[in-house]
Amino acid sequence: MTVAARLPLDLDPPVRQLRALLLGVDDRELTAPTPCPGWSVATLLDHLMRLAEAFAEAARKGADASGDGPPPAPSAAHLSPHWRSRLPVLLEELATAWKAPSAWLGEARAGGITMPARTMGTVAVNELVMHGWDLARATGQDFAADPRVLTTLIDFLAAGPPDGTPGFLGPRVPIDPDEDPLPRALALAGRDPSWRPPRTRDVPSAHLRREHPPAARSA
């Protein structure tokens, strides 16, 4: 049995998914809306960079990068111009940090909050899965999550308050309990599984091509 199999959760699957999604982001899509209210794709990418660093430090039991208070709000203006090369590295470092059994023991601190390390690791996985879906939906890409990860996230999210947690989860969205695991997890996290970006002339053409590929021409 591998070390990853003995740990509560494996961050490799959601990290691999996110790294693949990053390759499909067109520069023209950076201003496109996402399922996160008020966030553009660039804002979401800035958030992913910050959370990757913060949760990696939490796994290492290092100093909280955000200090004693909550982290600064994500901002498209603060997105590193080197995000294409830097973010994949940060995500890989995040997954590696949580491979250590010690990461899941005791307490961990991130975003100005201290909690049991097992809970912190689960929160990190939830962030990766939910924001992976956000990025995929905003940029017209396919998304799939590991069923074993979704089972854990559904149990974790179902145990939280129905009205959500400010700064982390929105109020739950009503959904058929017989729905597939991914829509159920999204709804528990306060997301509308049916969300689609608005189809206006302002939506980047690269996105429109993925959502509606041109019909093949007849010979």
Side-chain angles (χ1 to χ4, degrees):
M1 182 182 293
T2 65
V3 171
R6 296 196 298 269
L7 297 176
L9 280 169
D10 182 5
L11 275 69
D12 275 341
V15 162
R16 283 196 300 267
Q17 173 84 67
L18 257 174
R19 284 168 58 98
L21 290 169
L22 293 176
L23 297 175
V25 178
D26 190 282
D27 285 345
R28 293 168 295 178
E29 294 171 319
L30 293 177
T31 58
T34 72
C36 303
W39 285 17
S40 66
V41 168
T43 305
L44 176 58
L45 293 171
D46 181 58
H47 178 62
L48 284 169
M49 293 191 72
R50 293 170 187 265
L51 77 83
E53 291 181 304
F55 282 109
E57 279 304 301
R60 302 183 191 110
K61 304 298 191 289
D64 184 358
S66 65
D68 294 329
S75 168
H78 294 157
L79 178 62
S80 168
H82 309 295
W83 67 267
R84 288 191 182 276
S85 59
R86 183 62 180 147
L87 182 50
V89 173
L90 292 175
L91 290 170
E92 194 63 34
E93 290 175 349
L94 170 63
T96 299
W98 284 95
K99 287 186 190 328
S102 59
W104 299 89
L105 301 177
E107 294 185 329
R109 183 172 177 82
I113 299 174
T114 300
M115 63 179 68
R118 288 175 68 99
T119 303
M120 184 69 78
T122 305
V123 170
V125 174
N126 184 70
E127 289 283 289
L128 292 171
V129 171
M130 295 301 152
H131 288 317
W133 180 83
D134 292 333
L135 184 62
R137 191 51 59 96
T139 57
Q141 300 187 68
D142 293 333
F143 182 83
D146 187 312
R148 295 166 297 182
V149 170
L150 289 175
T151 297
T152 300
L153 292 185
I154 287 172
D155 291 342
F156 171 70
L157 294 167
D163 293 335
T165 304
F168 175 48
L169 299 172
R172 294 178 188 170
V173 174
I175 193 170
D176 186 332
D178 294 328
E179 263 286 5
D180 290 338
L182 179 57
R184 287 169 54 203
L186 292 167
L188 286 169
R191 284 165 170 78
D192 177 2
S194 65
W195 187 92
R196 295 287 191 282
R199 288 176 171 80
T200 70
R201 66 186 61 185
D202 296 325
V203 175
S205 58
H207 168 76
L208 291 174
R209 285 198 298 273
R210 278 200 289 270
E211 283 285 310
H212 302 287
R217 295 181 179 178
S218 59

